[in-house]
Amino acid sequence: MQNLDGLLFFPVTPFSRSGDVALDILRQHLETGLAAGPGGLFVACGTGEFHSLSLAEYEPIVRTAVEVSGGEVPVFSGVGGAIATAIEMARVAERAGADGLLILPPYLVTPTPAGLVEYARRIAEATTLPLIVYNRDNAIFDRQAAVDVAALPTVMGFKDGQGDVGLLGRIVPAVAHSLAGTGKTFQFFNGLPTAEVSALAYRGLGITLYSSAIWCFAPQISKAFHRAVSAGDQAAVDSLITGFFNPFVDLRNQIRGGAISLVKAAVCLGGLDVGGVRPPLADPTPQQREQLAEIVATGLRLAAATQAQPTSQLPGSSRSRTFI
């Protein structure tokens, strides 16, 4: 499995008015997102409402993503929930042609770090696909668990959605030390909601790879910010953070589950009807949709404007933290 690079696209899962998965709309959504040139496609994951999908819905979603991608970028799919369900989904995803899996937090329970390693081990034993573990919510790896899970032969990455940079500051060198001389490639990436607002903090740890939910509806904004961070363009970074990302996050935080529902609403505002979110999540109100439209319009203007601005250098390399 080659290293992931660039921005990672986590598409939404479209639903029809009757509540069914709309594969035709999903295909259009994927085509638009892939045309913008992401570094990887992660389908049926958090933004894709993995928690609400049945196994019968899951397989055609993964197959559609694989077909639309056509091998242009790696296709990962989410697995999680009960261990038996996660194993079954892993096998389904491999059969459907996925290139890898993202292990999402188990449902409801609060596992021990050692239990999370065993959870990943059981999934790894059921498939030959590369795995990325997700450190978030009720699935928090401590330093030793991170070292142990990184040692599993098919685990290739660690996605952090917790945001504890102090813990990461201990995990990253510990994993690097444990893998030194093994020849194994391992990647860390930032998986916090609206990861752009924490991108600079993660760069201090050498973690420059991140997922962008904004890519779902405005890849121009995602790419403009990524380009600015990679080039060290401080003025452009500040402009996009203050003018777009901060207002977007403020609005997102008004809605429980807004990291999903607000993104879906923004895709709809862009002209593709991907429907609303499934219960128990809730869609934005009409007033919140109006605010969202204004925020996105501002973001698009700022993204266009940053292209012509001179750069002001940021510290740090644009290379992703990879251990071999």
Side-chain angles (χ1 to χ4, degrees):
M1 180 70 191
Q2 64 183 22
N3 289 342
L4 294 167
D5 195 17
L7 286 168
L8 307 178
F9 174 30
F10 280 65
V12 302
T13 298
F15 300 124
S16 67
R17 296 193 183 280
S18 63
D20 299 322
V21 174
L23 292 176
D24 55 337
I25 303 299
L26 175 62
R27 184 176 292 274
Q28 293 179 57
H29 180 47
L30 294 173
E31 288 172 348
T32 300
L34 289 169
L41 171 61
F42 284 69
V43 70
C45 293
T47 311
E49 296 181 75
F50 170 85
H51 67 276
S52 74
L53 300 175
S54 70
L55 186 60
E57 294 171 324
Y58 178 79
E59 183 165 8
I61 289 172
V62 178
R63 287 193 183 280
T64 298
V66 171
E67 290 171 7
V68 175
S69 173
E72 292 183 12
V73 298
V75 176
F76 280 68
S77 62
V79 296
I83 186 61
T85 302
I87 287 171
E88 188 172 5
M89 284 185 156
R91 290 169 175 162
V92 166
E94 183 165 15
R95 189 166 64 240
D99 298 298
L101 303 171
L102 174 63
I103 302 179
L104 300 166
Y107 172 70
L108 191 61
V109 297
T110 302
T112 64
L116 290 170
V117 175
E118 184 61 23
Y119 184 74
R121 187 192 312 278
R122 297 285 185 89
I123 296 171
E125 289 172 350
T127 175
T128 63
L129 293 178
L131 307 173
I132 296 170
V133 297
Y134 199 177
N135 186 62
R136 180 174 177 175
D137 294 334
N138 61 321
I140 304 302
F141 291 78
D142 61 16
R143 183 180 62 197
Q144 187 58 53
V147 168
D148 292 344
V149 82
L152 297 177
T154 56
V155 172
M156 61 165 284
F158 187 96
K159 178 184 181 182
D160 182 66
Q162 182 68 8
D164 185 342
V165 294
L167 177 58
L168 275 178
R170 299 191 296 275
I171 285 176
V172 169
V175 170
H177 177 75
S178 70
L179 295 179
T182 66
K184 181 179 181 179
T185 298
F186 194 84
Q187 290 187 286
F188 287 88
F189 66 99
N190 176 359
L192 283 172
T194 320
E196 285 87 351
V197 297
S198 55
L200 292 180
Y202 277 74
R203 286 173 65 86
L205 296 170
I207 302 173
T208 61
L209 192 65
Y210 62 87
S211 55
S212 177
I214 307 303
W215 193 284
C216 289
F217 60 87
Q220 310 96 306
I221 299 174
S222 295
K223 293 171 74 172
F225 183 84
H226 187 261
R227 196 160 40 236
V229 169
S230 299
D233 189 343
Q234 183 71 65
V237 168
D238 290 349
S239 174
L240 287 163
I241 288 287
T242 58
F244 171 75
F245 288 104
N246 281 347
F248 181 85
V249 171
D250 289 342
L251 181 58
R252 184 201 74 197
N253 289 345
Q254 294 178 22
I255 311 165
R256 286 197 174 185
I260 300 172
S261 62
L262 205 61
V263 170
K264 292 195 86 170
V267 177
C268 290
L269 287 171
L272 185 64
D273 185 4
V274 294
V277 291
R278 281 177 168 173
L281 298 183
D283 293 311
T285 65
Q287 182 181 13
Q288 289 167 335
R289 287 176 181 271
E290 290 180 9
Q291 291 179 261
L292 176 62
E294 294 174 2
I295 292 168
V296 174
T298 298
L300 290 171
R301 288 196 299 270
L302 290 172
T306 58
Q307 305 307 305
Q309 293 177 353
T311 62
S312 174
Q313 291 298 308
L314 285 165
S317 167
S318 64
R319 293 180 61 82
S320 176
R321 185 74 177 253
T322 303
F323 305 114
I324 301 178

